[in-house]
Amino acid sequence: QVQLQESGPGLVKPSGTLSLTCAVSGGSISSSNWWSWVRQPPGKGLEWIGEIYHSGSTNYNPSLKSRVTISVDKSKNQFSLKLSSVTAADTAVYYCARVGTGTTGAMDVWGKGTTVTVSS
Amino acid sequence: DIQMTQSPSSLSASVGDRVTITCRASQSISSYLNWYQQKPGKAPKLLIYAASSLQSGVPSRFSGSGSGTDFTLTISSLQPEDFATYYCQQSYSTLITFGPGTKVDIK
């Protein structure tokens, strides 16, 4: 079955750019699914960041849109997140997830998450 | 934005109890409502999609209902492994939003 694995630096300096990758295994990123990023600050709830389709079409959370870029690399079967001009408020666990087909937009497969701390 | 609220924010219950969690959307979302369970240090797990469809592999003690703006997640007989935080999520809008969560702990 499909599995997702996030990777990237665990520590990012303020004003820097957070870069994460989600590797897709057990399936193709070119399937009929959207692929999402969700984050969770320490002790808080879930925040949707955005999503991408293998064609490159994207949807972003307007609250982050000016700082976010999500891209797909079909040759590596992975998708990526870049968040620029980070502050301490961007410290969170970052999850990648698959939006299931036939689930009316529910995220049916999740990565384990990766913790990113913004600190100097 | 579609705002999602949940009640209660937390509850204490005993094994075997029937538990009901409510989620309300700020506007009609038809049946585009999903429920997730999250345990500490773990990723969310999809329980219910499209308001009432049970995700494959999820025990039948979990059920969902509702449409429009008001939705319910019910656990018919709470089991030890069900102590967790539950989130609703709307997928009606291209701006996906989650509820604030309901923490279910042991009484």
Side-chain angles (χ1 to χ4, degrees):
Chain A
Q1 76 247 31
V2 173
Q3 293 184 313
L4 306 179
Q5 179 66 59
E6 305 90 347
S7 62
L11 181 64
V12 181
K13 287 182 168 30
S15 78
T17 297
L18 178 159
S19 296
L20 298 175
T21 295
C22 180
V24 179
S25 59
S28 173
I29 201 164
S30 296
S31 59
S32 301
N33 298 95
W34 286 78
W35 305 89
S36 291
W37 287 97
V38 175
R39 70 179 182 178
Q40 186 170 38
K44 296 189 178 180
L46 301 165
E47 180 181 32
W48 179 76
I49 299 170
E51 63 185 357
I52 191 165
Y53 197 66
H54 61 79
S55 63
S57 294
T58 53
N59 293 305
Y60 296 134
N61 189 324
S63 69
L64 300 169
K65 188 174 183 177
S66 64
R67 301 193 291 130
V68 170
T69 302
I70 298 176
S71 59
V72 65
D73 187 335
K74 288 185 280 189
S75 67
K76 294 183 178 179
N77 216 36
Q78 65 186 33
F79 62 108
S80 299
L81 168 69
K82 290 188 185 298
L83 182 65
S84 63
S85 305
V86 297
T87 69
D90 295 310
T91 293
V93 177
Y94 285 76
Y95 297 100
C96 59
R98 182 185 78 171
V99 179
T101 52
T103 65
T104 63
M107 298 174 216
D108 62 349
V109 179
W110 292 69
K112 292 183 178 181
T114 188
T115 299
V116 178
T117 301
V118 178
S119 175
S120 56
Chain B
D1 302 7
I2 298 176
Q3 308 299 322
M4 307 300 294
T5 58
Q6 289 182 235
S7 60
S9 56
S10 65
L11 66 89
S12 295
S14 301
V15 172
D17 283 353
R18 182 181 183 88
V19 169
T20 298
I21 299 169
T22 297
C23 176
R24 177 165 289 173
S26 60
Q27 66 182 74
S28 177
I29 57 171
S30 185
S31 295
Y32 289 81
L33 191 283
N34 312 302
W35 289 98
Y36 300 86
Q37 175 193 67
Q38 187 180 34
K39 297 181 180 179
K42 300 295 186 182
K45 172 187 175 183
L46 178 64
L47 299 176
I48 302 284
Y49 63 92
S52 60
S53 295
L54 191 67
Q55 173 67 355
S56 176
V58 174
S60 59
R61 63 181 180 272
F62 291 94
S63 64
S65 65
S67 67
T69 60
D70 295 316
F71 302 87
T72 299
L73 173 70
T74 299
I75 309 172
S76 60
S77 178
L78 198 66
Q79 297 302 299
E81 60 268 31
D82 300 336
F83 292 97
T85 299
Y86 294 85
Y87 293 93
C88 62
Q89 173 232 338
Q90 65 80 18
S91 50
Y92 180 83
S93 166
T94 52
L95 171 51
I96 303 298
T97 48
F98 290 88
T102 295
K103 185 176 181 180
V104 178
D105 61 22
I106 302 172
K107 193 172 191 177

